[in-house]
Amino acid sequence: YDDGGLEETTEFSFDNGKFKIPSLRNVALTAPYMHDGRFNTLEEVVNHYKTGVVKHPNLDFRLQNVDGSPKRPNITENETQAIIAFLGTMTDYEMIEDPKFSNPFRIK
């Protein structure tokens, strides 16, 4: 990886490529996605997990087959859209419209 992730802080090689996972709350409103902002849409993120995950010594075991190769979930286009719709249900419109959570630097 060009970005070492947690390894840059801990200096432990087993932390290479590890990143903190944010909450899914309001995820539909928080583009760009991934630690480096490489994806602009949730569809791009889902497609990445369908075809773009690569083998790495620190790839999470949940993304690996028994032989260590990356899992390639067989997700249909309808399932992709259902996943994106589900993620949209995590949007908290009450919170994002509440003035107490607005920009504290805005001049009133």
Side-chain angles (χ1 to χ4, degrees):
Y1 296 119
D2 290 333
D3 183 342
L6 184 60
E7 179 186 30
E8 292 180 10
T9 301
T10 65
E11 299 183 359
F12 296 124
S13 61
F14 56 80
D15 285 334
N16 181 261
K18 293 182 181 177
F19 300 90
K20 182 176 180 179
I21 301 169
S23 167
L24 291 177
R25 183 181 197 179
N26 296 326
V27 69
L29 307 176
T30 60
Y33 301 103
M34 306 306 267
H35 75 281
D36 56 2
R38 75 182 103 161
F39 300 128
N40 293 313
T41 68
L42 289 171
E43 186 169 14
E44 289 175 313
V45 174
V46 174
N47 287 335
H48 167 73
Y49 284 101
K50 288 179 359 184
T51 62
V53 176
V54 296
K55 187 173 181 171
H56 186 278
N58 294 336
L59 181 63
D60 190 284
F61 72 93
R62 291 168 287 200
L63 297 174
Q64 293 181 42
N65 294 308
V66 176
D67 66 359
S69 63
K71 286 185 179 178
R72 303 276 187 236
N74 187 17
I75 300 172
T76 67
E77 185 57 33
N78 285 341
E79 291 168 330
T80 296
Q81 295 310 312
I83 291 167
I84 294 166
F86 169 74
L87 293 171
T89 68
M90 307 225 181
T91 303
D92 183 349
Y93 292 100
E94 186 176 319
M95 185 198 93
I96 63 172
E97 294 172 2
D98 191 325
K100 69 182 172 191
F101 297 114
S102 66
N103 183 348
F105 303 105
R106 184 178 60 204
I107 299 173
K108 296 180 182 181

